[in-house]
Amino acid sequence: MLDLKQLFDGFRNPETVRHLADAIRLEAVKLPESLNIMEVCGGHTHTIMKFGLKALLPENIQFIHGPGCPVCVMPKERIDHAITLAEQPDVILVTLGDMIRVPGSKGSLAECRAKGGDVRPLYDPLDALRIAEENPTKTVVFFAIGFETSTPMTAVLLQQAEAKGIDNLLFHINHVLVPPAVDAVMDDPQVRVNAFIGPSHVSVIQGADIYQPLVEKYQTPVVVSGFEPVDVMEAVLRIVRQKAAGETSVDIQYSRAVSPEGNVGAQQLVQSCFETRDEFRWRGLGPIKNSALKLKPQFAHRDAELRFDSVLTHEEINDHKACQCGDILRGLAKPADCRVFGRGCTPQRPLGSCMVSSEGACNAYYRYQGVLNEK
């Protein structure tokens, strides 16, 4: 069995990072064009910023920050759904902690709670079962978020609620899928991305092969990487070597936990509970076909969107005009390009989703470089 320490032990070694940086510089002279690598996940963005990795790369290699995290891409109308649900009589709204401070058009769940709404952050989704059992006269709504990584846990929660007959637990599903978002980024005519660092936690569940269609369609390397500094630098080196050799393929850097096929059991569990939505609107990216999940028809009795349809908005709500989170999420701008970054928008008073989320690009720049970072 894999020891947890094996996942990170030694992967922050400065000497190893410097050795990889030297190897990247040597290989980078062979590149036929500038290399613009998008790290899809905000976890990678924070590693890059926290450990100063971009300063170790030659000028012809740049990081471009991608969709980041499920909190960053949640449109305001979905956040408004959560707030509206929490405002309903005898409703307890439960969700993962990052969602509490994300601003919608009606404020945030934190502000809703301050006004009397029963909003409870979870660290373990299965705690929703206990809350529902302890409050049999209330309706508990789990506002489910996450990429493919967290979807199996929601499926487990759903199955246990069914098995135990806990009828007062409903679900508002906001699970989104990484490959369609990457496809949407690459379809943008302004895109400058020509390589990807893929999030390893997604591929632990779905496998690395989910990126093969993207590699074939766009002839763009994808290296599935861990989140430690050595992981990221090795992933960059592998990308550079592919590009220098004129190759494009899916490569697994995080081989200590990722396989091509992924966790088949977890995939089957998800497939038994969810189906793909025809379309889902992503904050900053707009509507993307087949990019999110919803409950299967046999679980309609647990669908909060159906139960509370009469009070939930169906209007699309755009971000504040001064906020450039949309461009940042598409890799068309960096946090320092936004005129409200670090001024009207800070982690304490976030204006946009890229600042409020602990994995957002703006949050990472503010935390590790401050307001006066390079553009």
Side-chain angles (χ1 to χ4, degrees), residues 56-125:
L56 301 177
L57 300 182
E59 291 185 359
N60 60 340
I61 301 177
Q62 296 291 325
F63 287 117
I64 294 180
H65 316 305
C69 67
V71 170
C72 299
V73 301
M74 197 64 58
K76 283 188 173 182
E77 60 266 24
R78 303 295 289 186
I79 299 166
D80 285 356
H81 279 198
I83 294 169
T84 299
L85 290 169
E87 292 172 340
Q88 301 308 303
D90 298 319
V91 167
I92 301 172
L93 192 285
V94 297
T95 189
L96 300 181
D98 265 3
M99 279 304 307
I100 299 297
R101 295 177 56 247
V102 183
S105 70
K106 301 171 62 174
S108 67
L109 284 169
E111 293 169 334
C112 175
R113 182 172 58 180
K115 295 175 183 177
D118 197 342
V119 178
R120 307 186 190 185
L122 300 178
Y123 296 97
D124 180 354

Side-chain angles (χ1 to χ4, degrees), residues 148 151-156 158-159 204-207 261-275 293 296 298-299:
E148 292 91 336
T151 309
M153 184 56 73
T154 302
V156 169
L158 174 60
Q159 288 197 342
V204 167
I205 302 298
Q206 292 298 112
E261 67 278 359
N263 187 328
V264 176
Q267 294 167 26
Q268 292 173 342
L269 175 63
V270 169
Q271 291 166 5
S272 70
C273 297
F274 304 106
E275 61 186 23
L293 301 177
K296 281 195 165 183
Q298 59 262 41
F299 301 112

Side-chain angles (χ1 to χ4, degrees), residues 37-241:
I37 304 172
M38 175 174 279
E39 78 280 3
V40 177
C41 181
H44 286 134
T45 305
H46 275 252
T47 295
I48 290 164
M49 300 304 300
K50 180 178 181 179
F51 294 95
L53 301 186
K54 69 174 188 172
L56 301 177
L57 300 182
E59 291 185 359
N60 60 340
I61 301 177
Q62 296 291 325
F63 287 117
I64 294 180
H65 316 305
C69 67
V71 170
C72 299
V73 301
M74 197 64 58
K76 283 188 173 182
E77 60 266 24
R78 303 295 289 186
I79 299 166
D80 285 356
H81 279 198
I83 294 169
T84 299
L85 290 169
E87 292 172 340
Q88 301 308 303
D90 298 319
V91 167
I92 301 172
L93 192 285
V94 297
T95 189
L96 300 181
D98 265 3
M99 279 304 307
I100 299 297
R101 295 177 56 247
V102 183
S105 70
K106 301 171 62 174
S108 67
L109 284 169
E111 293 169 334
C112 175
R113 182 172 58 180
K115 295 175 183 177
D118 197 342
V119 178
R120 307 186 190 185
L122 300 178
Y123 296 97
D124 180 354
L126 293 180
D127 285 342
L129 287 172
R130 172 184 54 78
I131 294 171
E133 288 178 311
E134 292 174 352
N135 297 273
T137 64
K138 304 270 189 174
T139 299
V140 178
V141 179
F142 178 48
F143 191 79
I145 65 169
F147 290 128
E148 292 91 336
T149 315
S150 57
T151 309
M153 184 56 73
T154 302
V156 169
L157 176 60
L158 174 60
Q159 288 197 342
Q160 290 201 15
E162 289 284 286
K164 294 182 177 182
I166 302 175
D167 297 329
N168 62 325
L169 178 59
L170 304 184
F171 294 78
H172 189 288
I173 301 299
N174 301 275
H175 287 300
V176 290
L177 307 174
V178 169
V182 174
D183 199 26
V185 167
M186 293 301 290
D187 268 344
D188 191 315
Q190 300 180 74
V191 72
R192 296 182 294 116
V193 178
N194 53 11
F196 286 92
I197 294 178
S200 56
H201 49 13
V202 167
S203 288
V204 167
I205 302 298
Q206 292 298 112
D209 284 348
I210 59 170
Y211 298 113
Q212 189 60 44
L214 296 169
V215 169
E216 294 173 359
K217 181 177 180 180
Y218 299 108
Q219 292 299 296
T220 305
V222 177
V223 176
V224 179
S225 169
F227 291 96
E228 297 297 333
V230 169
D231 290 321
V232 175
M233 292 298 282
E234 185 185 354
V236 172
L237 179 58
R238 291 181 180 217
I239 289 171
V240 170
R241 285 174 172 167

